[in-house]
Amino acid sequence: MKVDYTNVNLDKLDNYKQKALDAFDTLMDGSGEGADFLGWIDRPVDYEKEEFDRIKKAAEKIQSDSDVLVSIGIGGSYLGIKAIDFALDNYFESNKKVKLIYAGNQISGQYMAELLDYLKDKDYSLNVISKSGTTTEPAIAFRFLKEALEEKYGKEEAKDRIYATTDRKKGALKDLATKEGYQTFVVPDDIGGRFSVISAVGLLPLAANGIDIDEFMAGFKAGREKYTKADFENNDAIKYAAIRNMLYEDGKAIEVLVNYEPKLQYIAEWWKQLFAESEGKDGEGLFPVSVNNSTDLHSLGQMIQDGRRNLFETVLEIENYDNDIEIKEDIDNLDGLNYLAGKTMNYVNTQAMEGTTIAHVKGNVPNIRIKIENVSAKTLAELFYFFEITVGVSGYMMGINPFNQPGVEEYKAQMFKLLGKPGYENK
């Protein structure tokens, strides 16, 4: 991974250097708010080997008896998994050992009805992911899917097709799993949801999907080696955090994560949760949005180029692609594209990125470029770790707790009041 700051004016950066290093120290020594949720920092080298082995064995069983694994979860129990699954799969015909289907990440009756119909002639298993077991969206989904699974296979076989990732000791889902005999895996107490893909939350469904979780963990380990050093000039996570805060205090209220490869679409969705839930507190925080180019250059590109100058871009660039295709000469040239003959589509895409960067920088939109070697489990894991260190440092620089999400609870209280849930009448 390389980070390029060429297209950002760094004249004021020295003013943020010490603040960034102090915030980094706060993160690493666990002296700040939210320190109870820093287990992800050392997780790449300090994880439970016994559970890791059980995850692999469970994944092998799922692969042996299921065409589909339904991953039931929301937020951090969904987005990290989906990001890696989508990035590493074939666009049109899945190359994975088990197809991952997602449920419990919304409350659409239409979606659930169609999912239940889809599963009727499939062999499938369930992985329900919830620390408490009472989070509304996954709890509703699990009710329907558990009933359908038991109807299809009978209660005895169904219990061997249900995998519960939940609290180690307590909670509604843990109690149910113990009562019914489901195999269980742990949602760690010291890792918040948006950081949890490094735990069983992400590792079990990804392993079942056929992704090499040893390589995935190796990417996190590589990230830990690079981004936990108190070295401003050589630790891009600290420098990126400082530059984000510099731009924020200079009136840039929005950060746009840009990709030119659709496989990275859900990486951006995970990134938005990571930064929005971590920084959006106490009236503070950059607003994280994303665009998928060159598609969005024909829509949101207009706003970025000529709209209000309150944003900057962070561009994800892939250096090496697995596949490419060359544009051939056409004898009639009715589309006028013969000037591209002999060039590949990825070359054209790269020039679109370069041209857009030039145009946006000319339009007073600072651009940070993050270059990843390829789209692989290891590379993406390192990218995740880079962003996680960044958001911790950046949040502490803003003076907020980057590891809680109090605002998320308010919508739940109002929803429960409207639904008539006992105890919420006066919210």
Side-chain angles (χ1 to χ4, degrees):
M1 244 187 67
K2 305 170 190 173
V3 187
D4 183 349
Y5 308 104
T6 303
N7 294 309
V8 180
N9 184 339
L10 302 180
D11 289 349
K12 298 178 183 178
L13 185 59
D14 281 347
N15 299 334
Y16 295 83
K17 179 177 178 178
Q18 191 57 51
K19 188 175 182 180
L21 286 168
D22 290 344
F24 177 78
D25 288 343
T26 299
L27 176 68
M28 297 307 296
D29 66 21
S31 60
E33 287 188 292
D36 290 344
F37 294 95
L38 298 180
W40 55 272
I41 292 178
D42 290 328
R43 187 81 175 192
V45 294
D46 185 21
Y47 58 93
E48 294 183 24
K49 307 301 189 293
E50 183 273 335
E51 184 180 55
F52 197 76
D53 289 339
R54 287 199 304 114
I55 286 169
K56 290 181 177 179
K57 290 175 183 175
E60 289 174 1
K61 180 183 180 299
I62 294 167
Q63 291 168 1
S64 72
D65 64 19
S66 301
D67 304 310
V68 173
L69 175 64
V70 184
S71 179
I72 306 169
I74 195 167
S77 302
Y78 157 64
L79 286 168
I81 304 164
K82 177 72 173 178
I84 302 300
D85 166 31
F86 188 81
L88 299 184
D89 205 356
N90 184 283
Y91 279 119
F92 303 105
E93 187 171 346
S94 179
N95 57 21
K96 299 303 180 185
K97 293 183 178 180
V98 172
K99 183 177 179 64
L100 283 180
I101 298 287
Y102 300 90
N105 54 309
Q106 28 70 10
I107 321 175
S108 167
Q110 180 79 19
Y111 183 94
M112 181 54 66
E114 293 181 13
L115 174 57
L116 291 169
D117 186 61
Y118 168 82
L119 292 171
K120 283 179 181 177
D121 62 351
K122 303 288 190 303
D123 279 318
Y124 67 98
S125 295
L126 307 178
N127 177 207
V128 55
I129 308 167
S130 175
K131 191 164 181 62
S132 66
T134 59
T135 303
T136 306
E137 294 90 341
I140 291 174
F142 185 49
R143 270 204 182 192
F144 283 108
L145 289 161
K146 175 176 173 288
E147 180 183 23
L149 192 76
E150 290 177 346
E151 286 181 2
K152 183 179 180 73
Y153 294 104
K155 196 171 179 70
E156 188 62 28
E157 184 178 348
K159 76 177 179 62
D160 293 329
R161 290 176 173 269
I162 296 175
Y163 303 83
T165 307
T166 187
D167 191 88
R168 187 184 299 275
K169 297 179 179 178
K170 64 183 187 300
L173 181 55
K174 175 61 177 175
D175 291 344
L176 178 65
T178 300
K179 176 186 172 185
E180 299 292 338
Y182 306 152
Q183 188 171 172
T184 61
F185 299 90
V186 176
V187 178
D189 290 332
D190 59 353
I191 299 179
R194 53 193 177 274
F195 298 83
S196 66
V197 72
I198 195 175
S199 72
V201 169
L203 296 178
L204 176 59
L206 292 176
N209 194 224
I211 289 167
D212 185 338
I213 59 173
D214 288 303
E215 281 294 293
F216 193 54
M217 291 296 285
F220 280 105
K221 184 178 179 181
R224 181 179 175 275
E225 290 172 356
K226 289 183 182 180
Y227 306 120
T228 57
K229 297 175 181 177
D231 182 344
F232 187 83
E233 296 304 326
N234 296 301
N235 185 335
D236 281 317
I238 302 176
K239 186 179 286 189
Y240 177 43
I243 291 172
R244 294 177 77 252
N245 276 261
M246 179 188 73
L247 292 170
Y248 177 52
E249 292 187 9
D250 197 39
K252 304 298 186 183
I254 299 169
E255 180 174 11
V256 186
L257 190 70
V258 184
N259 75 75
Y260 286 79
E261 170 53 56
K263 284 186 180 291
L264 301 182
Q265 175 182 345
Y266 284 93
I267 300 293
E269 297 302 312
W270 169 84
W271 174 88
K272 285 190 286 191
Q273 185 205 8
L274 178 70
F275 280 87
E277 278 196 343
S278 297
E279 291 186 343
K281 295 154 204 170
D282 303 331
E284 296 290 345
L286 280 156
F287 193 87
V289 299
S290 62
V291 294
N292 302 301
N293 288 343
S294 64
T295 302
D296 289 335
L297 289 174
H298 298 262
S299 54
L300 292 171
Q302 174 63 42
M303 175 63 74
I304 294 169
Q305 185 70 50
D306 287 339
R308 192 173 180 183
R309 303 295 78 190
N310 63 344
L311 53 84
F312 69 94
E313 292 178 302
T314 296
V315 182
L316 296 180
E317 177 181 351
I318 301 167
E319 293 191 302
N320 300 300
Y321 289 85
D322 290 336
N323 295 298
D324 202 355
I325 188 167
E326 185 177 301
I327 300 168
K328 297 181 180 179
E329 187 169 358
D330 182 83
I331 200 165
D332 295 320
N333 196 31
L334 295 177
D335 52 18
L337 293 180
N338 274 356
Y339 75 99
L340 296 176
K343 298 179 174 66
T344 69
M345 283 192 69
N346 287 336
Y347 174 82
V348 175
N349 198 29
T350 298
Q351 300 318 301
M353 178 183 66
E354 298 292 351
T356 302
T357 299
I358 293 168
H360 288 183
V361 171
K362 285 177 67 176
N364 194 26
V365 178
N367 264 243
I368 298 167
R369 301 260 291 260
I370 298 176
K371 302 179 183 183
I372 61 174
E373 181 181 356
N374 52 31
V375 179
S376 67
K378 184 175 181 180
T379 300
L380 295 177
E382 182 184 330
L383 180 67
F384 273 30
Y385 196 90
F386 166 81
F387 280 134
E388 289 168 355
I389 291 290
T390 294
V391 83
V393 175
S394 187
Y396 284 137
M397 288 184 73
M398 291 178 184
I400 53 93
N401 176 358
F403 303 108
N404 66 355
Q405 53 280 336
V408 173
E409 303 307 315
E410 180 62 22
Y411 94 86
K412 296 180 184 178
Q414 298 305 322
M415 177 180 70
F416 292 153
K417 180 179 180 180
L418 292 170
L419 290 170
K421 184 174 181 177
Y424 285 83
E425 296 84 359
N426 298 317
K427 295 292 183 180

